[in-house]
Amino acid sequence: MPDAALRLKHLAEQMLGAPLPVRIRAWDGSEAGPPGGPTLVIRNRRALRRVMWKPGELGLARAWVAGDLDVDGDLYAVLDRLAEFIWERDEGAKGLRESLRDPQFRAAARSLIGLAAPFLPPPPPQEEMRRPRKLHLHTKGSDRQAISHHYDVGNDFYELVLGPSMVYSCAYWESEQSTLEDAQRDKLELIARKLALRPGMRLLDVGCGWGSMAIHAAREHGVTVVGVTLSQEQAAYARKRIAEEGLTDRVEIRVQDYRDVRDGPYDAISSIGMAEHVGAEQYLEYAHDLHALLKPGGRLLNHQIARRPQADESAYAVDDFIDAYVFPGGELAPVGSTVGILERAGFEVRDVEAIREHYALTLRSWVANLEARWKEGQRLTSPGRARIWRLYMAASALAFERNRIGVNQVLAVKTPEAGASGMPLRARAWQ
């Protein structure tokens, strides 16, 4: 009688020290675990070998990307039930070395090795990007490589996920009944109002993506825009959109590192979902560079994902799955650290708006777009890449909902020495 699922359930509960919160279906057709809910599908023994050779999140991610591991039912429900064991273990939880000192844990591990046999390490999925540690120093070359890994996977695929707006950052929802397109348009307009854009001004859009902010600013507010990106595919797509809008005289898209922009001063700078790629060691340089590119009185709108602060900040480590498959070299910082660095660079921070719940709604919309056209999404990129995007967006939505991460719009001014910021007396007059 097939019993792989029952054996796996017992082993998992021994190793986790808690009841298994999801049902399991194994490669032999057997099932075990709580009935009536979503099911974790282990398609073959190779999934076990991946987890044994890379315990924790990276092993699970490799099994998911390769298709060795799947979900039958609601992906959000499975991630929600497993979050405590994968992402949210407290600081007092046992580490692997400590667990291996426990005879019961070692016995369960030996049983799992026997079930996973033959015990040879499977190669990582082709979509994985593992960089030498020295490439996490955020040189111009390593940043270009990381951006290409994430963004140069096919504009058609991003169109499917993001929808017609082609905006790949948190939208701004008037209500949960708003459409994604309305919410993205409202976000771009909110940024334009915070920057007080008006005809004749010059805007630098750092990390301009597929050109949506640049087009909105030029078309709706009459400004001249320079957008910079490190992605060749993004730049080509943005230029085509700009030509179709008849805005080539007002919008220039460059494949250029922000550190190489030397044609300031600009009246305003928008940096939307880009600063996460900068890296902690380079962030002060980033802030100084943007400060130098602004004219006195100019405004910066920095729209950036933030993590919760840790008791020991030196212990912060980049998420293994995100680093290997999504944003290589990406780093998150607490919003207080970001504000502090911007002010050290000479900015006066005038407003911080937290919009964490808005990103959860945005991500759920992107997941729905991908799931609605799943086969097409796999064809446009690769089955593994489509699985990466589905997992990371769904897991991120839950992370925003649980306040594990947040997102903030920080409005800062290059206030002149005389002190005239140019800001309205009434806070948030742009609303």
Side-chain angles (χ1 to χ4, degrees), residues 294-355:
L294 276 173
K295 74 174 189 180
R299 298 183 188 181
L300 164 69
L301 192 288
N302 190 78
H303 175 119
Q304 182 177 346
I305 299 171
R307 60 175 172 85
R308 303 292 298 170
Q310 295 183 329
D312 178 9
E313 279 294 315
S314 67
Y316 168 67
V318 177
D319 181 282
D320 283 340
F321 169 59
I322 298 296
D323 191 50
Y325 289 102
V326 186
F327 294 107
E331 296 179 62
L332 302 183
V335 63
S337 299
T338 297
V339 168
I341 291 174
L342 289 172
E343 294 218 318
R344 281 174 60 194
F347 283 104
E348 179 189 8
V349 172
R350 296 298 301 243
D351 186 79
V352 179
E353 184 173 5
I355 53 175

Side-chain angles (χ1 to χ4, degrees), residues 74-338:
D74 187 346
L75 176 60
Y76 292 105
V78 169
L79 292 174
D80 194 47
R81 294 182 188 189
L82 292 177
E84 177 184 351
F85 303 102
I86 302 174
W87 296 293
E88 296 176 3
R89 306 202 71 174
D90 60 40
E91 294 179 6
K94 287 184 178 180
L96 180 60
R97 288 185 179 180
E98 186 179 350
S99 296
L100 286 171
R101 298 190 188 104
D102 184 334
Q104 287 188 324
F105 184 92
R106 290 201 307 270
R110 284 195 297 269
S111 297
L112 188 59
I113 290 171
L115 194 58
F119 198 57
L120 297 173
Q126 63 180 3
E127 290 84 2
E128 182 169 319
M129 180 180 177
R130 301 298 291 173
R131 305 190 300 169
R133 187 64 210 172
K134 65 180 181 180
L135 291 184
H136 285 258
L137 298 178
H138 291 278
T139 65
K140 293 176 184 178
S142 67
D143 282 353
R144 187 164 52 249
Q145 181 185 10
I147 293 299
S148 179
H149 175 84
H150 186 75
Y151 293 105
D152 292 341
V153 300
N155 291 328
D156 291 343
F157 176 74
Y158 275 107
E159 280 185 336
L160 183 151
V161 173
L162 304 180
S165 71
M166 288 299 282
V167 179
Y168 191 24
S169 54
C170 175
Y172 196 78
W173 300 78
E174 295 296 334
S175 75
E176 294 187 20
Q177 285 67 51
S178 299
T179 67
L180 176 61
E181 290 306 302
D182 287 343
Q184 290 291 16
R185 182 198 62 238
D186 290 345
K187 187 269 297 296
L188 298 178
E189 180 57 24
L190 176 64
I191 291 172
R193 292 200 301 270
K194 287 182 176 182
L195 291 173
L197 298 183
R198 58 185 182 275
M201 292 179 66
R202 199 164 175 248
L203 170 70
L204 174 64
D205 188 25
V206 180
C208 66
W210 292 272
S212 298
M213 180 64 202
I215 290 170
H216 182 88
R219 184 182 61 209
E220 304 299 328
H221 296 273
V223 303
T224 300
V225 188
V226 172
V228 296
T229 175
L230 294 178
S231 167
Q232 295 283 353
E233 290 195 20
Q234 283 187 335
Y237 188 98
R239 288 165 182 155
K240 182 174 182 294
R241 292 178 72 193
I242 290 160
E244 290 170 350
E245 292 275 352
L247 295 171
T248 53
D249 60 329
R250 278 189 277 162
V251 182
E252 178 189 0
I253 301 297
R254 303 173 186 167
V255 178
Q256 187 177 36
D257 193 291
Y258 72 92
R259 288 165 283 196
D260 293 328
V261 178
R262 294 288 183 267
D263 59 346
Y266 288 87
D267 298 282
I269 297 176
S270 54
S271 179
I272 309 169
M274 177 271 175
E276 298 88 340
H277 297 289
V278 170
E281 293 183 2
Q282 298 293 326
Y283 204 90
L284 184 57
E285 178 186 350
Y286 160 83
H288 275 299
D289 285 348
L290 299 193
H291 187 268
L293 286 166
L294 276 173
K295 74 174 189 180
R299 298 183 188 181
L300 164 69
L301 192 288
N302 190 78
H303 175 119
Q304 182 177 346
I305 299 171
R307 60 175 172 85
R308 303 292 298 170
Q310 295 183 329
D312 178 9
E313 279 294 315
S314 67
Y316 168 67
V318 177
D319 181 282
D320 283 340
F321 169 59
I322 298 296
D323 191 50
Y325 289 102
V326 186
F327 294 107
E331 296 179 62
L332 302 183
V335 63
S337 299
T338 297

Side-chain angles (χ1 to χ4, degrees), residues 40-44 47 60-72 75 79 125 127 157 161 321 325-326 367 370-371 374-375 377-379 381-395:
L40 191 65
V41 181
I42 303 172
R43 296 196 181 281
N44 51 60
L60 289 169
R62 287 177 171 177
W64 173 267
V65 174
D68 302 329
L69 196 65
D70 207 345
V71 166
D72 184 2
L75 176 60
L79 292 174
E127 290 84 2
F157 176 74
V161 173
F321 169 59
Y325 289 102
V326 186
V367 172
L370 178 57
E371 290 181 340
W374 180 244
K375 289 185 178 178
Q378 294 181 86
R379 179 180 59 80
T381 178
S382 73
R385 184 76 63 186
R387 292 173 67 82
I388 291 166
W389 257 244
R390 184 182 177 220
L391 176 62
Y392 112 76
M393 292 191 299

